[in-house]
Coordinates of all heavy atoms in Angstrom, one line a residue:
Chain A
K20 N -3.7 13.4 3.2 CA -2.3 13.4 3.6 C -1.5 13.1 2.4 O -1.6 12.0 1.9 CB -2.1 12.4 4.8 CG -0.8 12.6 5.5 CD -0.8 12.0 6.9 CE -1.8 12.7 7.8 NZ -1.8 12.1 9.1
Q32 N -3.7 8.8 2.4 CA -5.0 8.6 3.0 C -5.7 9.9 3.1 O -5.1 11.0 2.9 CB -4.8 8.0 4.4 CG -4.2 9.0 5.4 CD -4.4 8.6 6.9 OE1 -3.5 7.9 7.4 NE2 -5.4 9.0 7.5
G36 N -9.3 7.8 6.9 CA -8.4 6.9 7.5 C -8.2 5.6 6.7 O -9.2 5.1 6.1
I37 N -7.1 5.0 6.8 CA -6.7 3.9 6.0 C -7.7 2.7 6.2 O -8.1 2.0 5.2 CB -5.2 3.4 6.2 CG1 -4.3 4.5 5.6 CG2 -5.0 2.1 5.5 CD1 -2.8 4.3 5.9
T38 N -7.9 2.4 7.4 CA -8.8 1.2 7.7 C -10.2 1.3 7.2 O -10.7 0.4 6.5 CB -8.8 0.9 9.3 OG1 -7.5 0.9 9.7 CG2 -9.5 -0.4 9.6
R293 N 1.2 -11.7 18.6 CA 0.8 -10.4 18.2 C 2.1 -9.6 17.7 O 3.1 -9.6 18.4 CB 0.2 -9.6 19.4 CG -0.5 -8.4 18.9 CD -1.2 -7.7 20.0 NE -0.3 -7.0 20.9 CZ -0.7 -6.0 21.7 NH1 -1.9 -5.8 21.9 NH2 0.2 -5.4 22.5
G294 N 2.0 -8.9 16.6 CA 3.1 -8.1 16.1 C 2.6 -7.5 14.8 O 1.6 -7.9 14.2
F295 N 3.4 -6.6 14.3 CA 3.1 -5.9 13.1 C 4.2 -6.0 12.1 O 5.2 -5.3 12.2 CB 2.8 -4.4 13.3 CG 2.0 -3.7 12.2 CD1 0.8 -3.1 12.4 CD2 2.5 -3.7 10.9 CE1 0.1 -2.5 11.4 CE2 1.8 -3.1 9.9 CZ 0.6 -2.5 10.1
R297 N 6.6 -5.7 9.0 CA 6.7 -4.6 8.0 C 7.9 -5.0 7.1 O 8.8 -5.7 7.5 CB 7.0 -3.3 8.6 CG 5.9 -2.8 9.5 CD 6.1 -1.4 10.1 NE 5.3 -1.1 11.2 CZ 4.1 -0.5 11.1 NH1 3.6 -0.2 9.9 NH2 3.3 -0.3 12.2
V317 N -1.1 -5.6 9.3 CA -2.1 -6.3 10.0 C -3.3 -6.2 9.1 O -3.8 -5.1 8.8 CB -2.3 -5.7 11.4 CG1 -3.6 -6.3 12.1 CG2 -1.1 -6.0 12.3
R346 N 11.8 -5.5 16.2 CA 12.5 -4.8 17.3 C 13.1 -5.7 18.3 O 12.8 -5.6 19.5 CB 11.4 -3.8 17.9 CG 11.1 -2.6 17.0 CD 10.3 -1.6 17.7 NE 9.0 -2.1 18.3 CZ 8.0 -2.4 17.6 NH1 8.0 -2.3 16.3 NH2 6.9 -2.9 18.2
Chain B
G36 N -3.2 11.9 14.7 CA -3.5 12.3 13.4 C -2.4 11.9 12.4 O -2.6 11.5 11.3
E37 N -1.2 12.2 12.9 CA 0.0 11.9 12.1 C 0.2 10.4 12.0 O 0.6 9.9 10.9 CB 1.3 12.5 12.7 CG 1.3 14.0 12.6 CD 1.4 14.4 11.1 OE1 2.4 14.0 10.5 OE2 0.5 15.2 10.7
D40 N -4.5 5.3 11.7 CA -5.2 4.3 12.5 C -4.3 3.4 13.4 O -3.4 2.8 12.9 CB -6.0 3.3 11.5 CG -7.0 4.1 10.7 OD1 -7.5 5.1 11.2 OD2 -7.3 3.6 9.6
Y43 N -2.5 -1.5 17.4 CA -2.5 -1.8 18.8 C -1.4 -1.1 19.5 O -0.6 -0.4 18.9 CB -2.3 -3.3 19.1 CG -1.0 -3.9 18.6 CD1 0.2 -3.7 19.3 CD2 -1.0 -4.7 17.4 CE1 1.4 -4.3 18.8 CE2 0.2 -5.2 16.9 CZ 1.4 -5.0 17.6 OH 2.6 -5.6 17.2
V44 N -1.4 -1.1 20.9 CA -0.5 -0.4 21.7 C 0.1 -1.4 22.7 O -0.6 -2.2 23.3 CB -1.1 0.9 22.3 CG1 -2.3 0.5 23.1 CG2 -0.1 1.7 23.1
D45 N 1.4 -1.4 22.9 CA 2.1 -2.2 23.9 C 2.3 -1.3 25.1 O 3.1 -0.3 25.0 CB 3.4 -2.7 23.4 CG 3.2 -4.1 22.7 OD1 2.4 -4.9 23.2 OD2 3.9 -4.3 21.7
E63 N 1.6 0.8 17.5 CA 1.6 0.3 16.1 C 0.5 0.9 15.4 O -0.7 0.7 15.7 CB 1.5 -1.2 16.1 CG 2.8 -1.9 16.5 CD 3.9 -2.1 15.5 OE1 3.7 -1.5 14.3 OE2 4.8 -2.8 15.8
A64 N 0.7 1.7 14.4 CA -0.3 2.2 13.5 C -0.1 1.6 12.1 O 0.9 1.0 11.9 CB -0.2 3.8 13.4
V65 N -1.1 1.8 11.3 CA -1.1 1.2 10.0 C 0.2 1.6 9.2 O 0.9 0.8 8.6 CB -2.3 1.5 9.1 CG1 -2.2 1.0 7.7 CG2 -3.5 1.0 9.8
K66 N 0.6 2.9 9.4 CA 1.7 3.4 8.6 C 3.0 3.2 9.2 O 4.0 3.0 8.5 CB 1.5 4.9 8.3 CG 0.5 5.1 7.2 CD 0.4 6.6 6.9 CE -0.2 7.4 8.1 NZ -0.4 8.8 7.9
A67 N 3.1 3.2 10.6 CA 4.4 3.2 11.2 C 4.3 2.8 12.7 O 3.2 2.8 13.2 CB 5.0 4.6 11.1
V68 N 5.4 2.4 13.3 CA 5.4 2.2 14.7 C 6.1 3.4 15.4 O 7.0 4.0 14.8 CB 6.2 0.9 15.0 CG1 7.6 0.9 14.5 CG2 6.2 0.5 16.5

Side-chain angles (χ1 to χ4, degrees):
Chain A
K20 192 161 292 182
Q32 66 167 90
I37 292 175
T38 306
R293 195 176 78 163
F295 198 123
R297 297 183 196 272
V317 171
R346 288 190 303 286
Chain B
E37 288 297 300
D40 298 332
Y43 65 76
V44 57
D45 270 322
E63 288 275 6
V65 175
K66 282 182 295 184
V68 60

